Amino acid sequence: MFQSKSKQSKKEIETLFNEIQINLENNYKDLAIGARKKASERLETLHNDGSLKEKDYIKLKKTMDDYTKRMEGYHH
């Protein structure tokens, strides 16, 4: 069976979130910042081209906002 485009997009974003989480757990701040930026850009791209359902976007955006808040003091 083929997965819907929305499910594939959601899985892609969750994989990017996992990358952020791993970098945070290992205290790799620069890598976490880069991964957050990449995930944020991809989330917006998928939302703008209609690949994500609105309810999935809202949920994933909340998670992204949580990571952003958690990383407020991180700088290059």
Side-chain angles (χ1 to χ4, degrees):
M1 290 273 176
F2 293 101
Q3 289 184 341
S4 73
K5 191 173 184 178
S6 181
K7 284 185 180 183
Q8 289 174 340
S9 298
K10 185 177 174 185
K11 187 166 181 76
E12 178 184 350
I13 296 298
E14 288 171 348
T15 300
L16 292 171
F17 286 170
N18 187 49
E19 183 180 345
I20 296 169
Q21 186 62 39
I22 289 169
N23 287 324
L24 288 173
E25 288 172 0
N26 289 311
N27 205 28
Y28 299 147
K29 292 180 180 179
D30 289 342
L31 292 175
I33 290 168
R36 184 184 56 81
K37 182 179 181 200
K38 181 178 170 184
S40 179
E41 290 171 354
R42 189 65 181 143
L43 178 63
E44 292 305 317
T45 299
L46 291 172
H47 179 251
N48 291 337
D49 73 10
S51 296
L52 280 173
K53 293 179 184 174
E54 190 65 26
K55 72 174 191 165
D56 290 336
Y57 171 74
I58 292 168
K59 181 179 175 187
L60 294 168
K61 179 71 170 142
K62 182 184 180 318
T63 302
M64 178 59 67
D65 292 344
D66 290 344
Y67 279 123
T68 300
K69 183 174 175 98
R70 183 174 169 188
M71 297 170 64
E72 280 180 349
Y74 290 12
H75 302 286
H76 279 286

